[in-house]
Amino acid sequence: MAEPEIDYAAVFQALPGAAALLTPELIYADVNEQFLRTLGRTREQVIGSYLPDDFRDDPDDPAAAVVLNIQASLLRVAETGELDIMEVRRADLETADRPGVRVERYWSWINTPVLGPDGRVALLLHRVEEVTELIRAREVALSLQEAMLPASRPVGRHPAAVRYRPAVDTLNVCGDWYDLVDLPGDRVAVSVGDVVGHGLSAAKVMGQLRSALSAASRAVDGPDKALEVLELYARSIAGAESTTVATAFIDWATRTVTYSSAGHPPPALLQRDGTVEFLDRATDPPIGARPEGAPRPQATAPFTEGAVLALYTDGLIERRWEDIDTGLARLADSLARHQEVDSETLADAVLADLLLPGGVTDDTALVIERL
């Protein structure tokens, strides 16, 4: 059977997104219709023109600097014969219905060499994709996340540091949360939680559960009762099942931490002598995994002045290829080595020691409370 004849010109025109072919000297050789629509120009205006002249009528426009970066990228491809992916940048363009008015827009560019029969670069394939909506979605999502999580602040008279790191593919939002609540007397409630899943759906559930636990902590006598109230509330929230939570009530008058955990990694208590105790004597199944009405456990641990309490989510310690005890040991070592620094510096040091350099693959929340 004969192979079908391929119309490569038609393929080029059908490429998704805006695409152009340039010579190694940066002269436009061909463009698809989407590229013309993006620039708002005709084929006659583009073919045969020199790419850096695109902004010759307005050299002071900020977008002109973007063209210089595109030019540099294309020249690298022409010289090396290797693909070059540019970072996302802003380049405002006029809209057809508002001549002379430029609208904020963001773009991604990929430049690819097209080799001739002699193996040399004959053409440069320049692909452009508008990512304005993605950037705006990230901004909205981040604002939503920031609105649902409390800002880093002293609780009462005691310094605390909080950190939040979303997984790299989650639009900057996630189902992890932290909370710090002032209680009567010289007491504070500290909580962290982890909703199953990522993204906006998990963040929506997270916001409801965080608010419910914050209110319950103010109304009941201890962390066990707070988690019991949270469980009752969570049964009416779709997506709240299997949520894990750890909450601790810190009392500076008695120098004790009273805690309870619903399937969550244990809080770490760093004493002044450098020893680290993982508070795991009051651990129960996650939210929604127990019979309705069953009481939650709680336990109490003493602390000395200057100790540190760390609550965190599993993204800080878990690695798919190793036992969780390895991650806990890594956390204990980091806390002990950086014991003498302030809360903010300690939080940064722990993240630097435990998170992978390429970005987190699971959401991570961390609270450092100096006792």
Side-chain angles (χ1 to χ4, degrees):
M1 181 177 179
E3 293 185 1
E5 184 176 343
I6 299 175
D7 185 345
Y8 287 99
V11 172
F12 174 70
Q13 290 296 328
L15 287 175
L21 284 170
L22 296 99
T23 69
E25 295 74 35
L26 306 191
I27 303 298
Y28 283 108
D30 198 2
V31 294
N32 68 2
E33 291 301 317
Q34 182 59 47
F35 192 88
L36 294 175
R37 286 194 292 269
T38 298
L39 284 184
R41 298 179 185 176
T42 65
R43 178 173 293 274
E44 291 73 20
Q45 291 173 319
V46 175
I47 300 301
S49 66
Y50 181 48
L51 178 139
D53 287 341
D54 278 347
F55 288 83
R56 61 184 180 276
D57 295 330
D58 191 3
D60 295 328
D61 190 284
V66 174
V67 174
L68 294 178
N69 290 319
I70 295 173
Q71 178 184 8
S73 172
L74 287 166
L75 290 175
R76 280 195 301 272
V77 175
E79 180 180 355
T80 66
E82 297 180 356
L83 175 143
D84 189 69
I85 301 175
M86 299 178 59
E87 64 182 46
V88 173
R89 290 181 179 271
R90 175 179 172 178
D92 299 347
L93 293 180
E94 294 182 12
T95 58
D97 57 340
R98 300 175 66 189
V101 178
R102 293 186 179 274
V103 178
E104 179 180 319
R105 297 168 80 172
Y106 293 85
W107 309 86
S108 170
W109 298 270
I110 300 177
N111 297 316
T112 307
V114 180
L115 304 182
D118 59 359
R120 296 182 179 180
V121 177
L123 292 169
L124 305 169
L125 176 60
H126 175 58
R127 293 186 60 187
V128 186
E129 181 178 1
E130 183 173 4
V131 293
T132 304
E133 293 305 316
L134 176 60
I135 295 298
R136 288 176 178 164
R138 287 182 180 279
E139 292 173 347
V140 170
L142 186 56
S143 297
L144 171 65
Q145 188 82 34
E146 291 175 345
M148 291 192 295
L149 293 176
S152 179
R153 60 182 177 84
V155 180
R157 59 184 179 86
H158 305 285
V162 297
R163 296 291 184 271
Y164 153 74
R165 297 291 184 271
V168 292
D169 59 348
T170 58
L171 290 178
N172 282 338
V173 295
C174 68
D176 288 16
W177 86 83
Y178 57 82
D179 200 18
L180 300 99
V181 178
D182 285 311
L183 299 176
D186 197 8
R187 297 189 303 145
V188 166
V190 184
S191 303
V192 292
D194 185 356
V195 173
V196 174
H198 304 289
L200 288 173
S201 59
K204 180 180 69 174
V205 176
M206 174 275 288
Q208 296 177 85
L209 297 185
R210 187 198 69 80
S211 297
L213 183 57
S214 183
S217 297
R218 291 172 166 88
V220 299
D221 293 333
D224 57 340
K225 297 297 189 295
L227 289 184
E228 290 169 19
V229 172
L230 179 66
E231 176 133 38
L232 288 174
Y233 176 73
R235 292 180 184 276
S236 66
I237 305 298
E241 58 276 1
S242 299
T243 294
T244 68
V245 189
T247 183
F249 284 26
I250 306 169
D251 189 332
W252 275 271
T254 62
R255 292 188 178 177
T256 58
V257 176
T258 303
Y259 61 94
S260 185
S261 174
H264 201 81
L269 179 60
L270 170 66
Q271 298 286 9
R272 285 297 300 165
D273 62 4
T275 60
V276 175
E277 176 188 0
F278 287 101
L279 306 183
D280 58 4
R281 292 183 291 112
T283 300
D284 225 19
I287 297 297
R290 305 176 330 131
E292 187 171 355
R296 288 276 176 182
Q298 73 175 26
T300 298
F303 66 83
T304 55
E305 184 177 359
V308 172
L309 181 67
L311 285 83
Y312 51 93
T313 55
D314 57 9
L316 185 69
I317 59 168
E318 288 189 351
R319 303 287 183 270
R320 293 187 181 94
W321 58 87
E322 66 183 23
D323 188 87
I324 190 173
D325 288 340
T326 303
L328 292 173
R330 189 182 298 116
L331 173 59
D333 176 71
S334 179
L335 290 170
R337 284 190 293 109
H338 304 290
Q339 179 175 11
E340 300 304 324
V341 300
D342 62 85
S343 298
E344 296 290 338
T345 304
L346 179 55
D348 289 334
V350 168
L351 292 185
D353 286 346
L354 272 71
L355 296 187
L356 297 174
V360 295
T361 57
D362 192 11
D363 311 325
T364 300
L366 171 67
V367 180
I368 297 290
E369 179 75 51
R370 180 69 67 175
L371 303 178

